[in-house]
Amino acid sequence: MAEPRAEPGPQRVYLRPVNRRDRDEFIAVMRRSASLHEPWIHPPITREAFSRYLKRLEQGDHVGLLVIEKETDAIVGCFNINNIVRGSFLSASLGYYAAQPYAGRGYMQEGLEQVITWAVEKLGLHRLEANIQPRNQRSIALVRRCGFKREGVSPDYLFIAGAWRDHERWTWLDRRHGLRPPS
């Protein structure tokens, strides 16, 4: 017999797409959060970089979602659904970064659970892949808590901080029976 599952508590965060009006707050938050991101990722922290980020989101194969604290409407993190592939693959890669002082409070887990639902229901995806440097234990713990499974290691996967870095490949799969790509 299956263990009874506890009902989830009230959500403290919600998702919304990144937009131009977020520029100044986003840049300020990400600058304050640099110690969380180094050496793993480099979010946009200048007006020019934020403009390039928005242009990438406008291409249609990328989605940027802010994690917003309901009580204050503060940006507590960001998820990027990148390189969305349709057809028989229905897959995308996932990137994300938390914001200070909200890291370690479970907001990103709540956000990732909502991102998974968004990716399945709004984008029709079957697979999300998070590629994480092996020493980034906080990121690995996050995806593990949200049901991602480790598939392996990709040597020299991404060029970050001046070098090609190995990454562990973690995936979440939509295992609904009968799921098929659109004809």
Side-chain angles (χ1 to χ4, degrees):
M1 185 161 111
E3 289 287 317
R5 291 175 48 166
E7 288 297 312
Q11 293 291 301
R12 300 172 296 161
V13 300
Y14 65 93
L15 301 177
R16 74 168 171 76
V18 177
N19 66 60
R20 289 188 184 332
R21 292 182 308 275
D22 296 315
R23 183 190 67 198
D24 294 340
E25 181 184 1
F26 184 93
I27 290 170
V29 165
M30 293 307 144
R31 283 182 178 168
R32 283 193 311 268
S33 306
S35 64
L36 290 175
H37 306 147
E38 293 290 334
W40 318 117
I41 195 161
H42 301 282
I45 58 169
T46 66
R47 288 178 171 210
E48 297 78 19
F50 189 80
S51 291
R52 287 190 303 273
Y53 173 57
L54 287 178
K55 282 193 185 313
R56 192 178 86 208
L57 296 178
E58 292 168 359
Q59 293 175 0
D61 61 347
H62 297 278
V63 174
L65 298 169
L66 295 177
V67 183
I68 306 292
E69 184 182 43
K70 283 183 177 179
E71 188 175 311
T72 63
D73 282 329
I75 296 172
V76 301
C78 182
F79 284 92
N80 293 300
I81 303 172
N82 301 309
N83 306 313
I84 300 167
V85 179
R86 305 282 182 197
S88 60
F89 199 33
L90 296 178
S91 181
S93 61
L94 188 65
Y96 49 88
Y97 23 93
Q100 289 283 27
Y102 304 99
R105 297 185 184 179
Y107 289 132
M108 291 300 282
Q109 181 174 339
E110 286 182 31
L112 181 50
E113 290 165 354
Q114 292 177 38
V115 165
I116 291 168
T117 299
W118 179 292
V120 169
E121 293 179 0
K122 298 206 184 294
L123 299 176
L125 298 181
H126 163 69
R127 175 186 175 93
L128 286 175
E129 183 173 307
N131 292 286
I132 305 167
Q133 292 179 56
R135 290 185 6 254
N136 189 346
Q137 292 303 308
R138 291 177 78 168
S139 241
I140 289 170
L142 171 63
V143 296
R144 184 180 282 133
R145 284 191 308 271
C146 290
F148 284 66
K149 303 294 183 216
R150 185 178 184 271
E151 287 190 332
V153 175
S154 299
D156 295 340
Y157 186 71
L158 290 173
F159 194 79
I160 297 175
W164 289 100
R165 309 287 177 179
D166 295 352
H167 283 67
E168 291 185 10
R169 195 172 50 260
W170 289 81
T171 59
W172 181 91
L173 298 173
D174 182 353
R175 298 206 181 266
R176 286 178 291 169
H177 181 71
L179 178 67
R180 301 256 187 268
S183 309

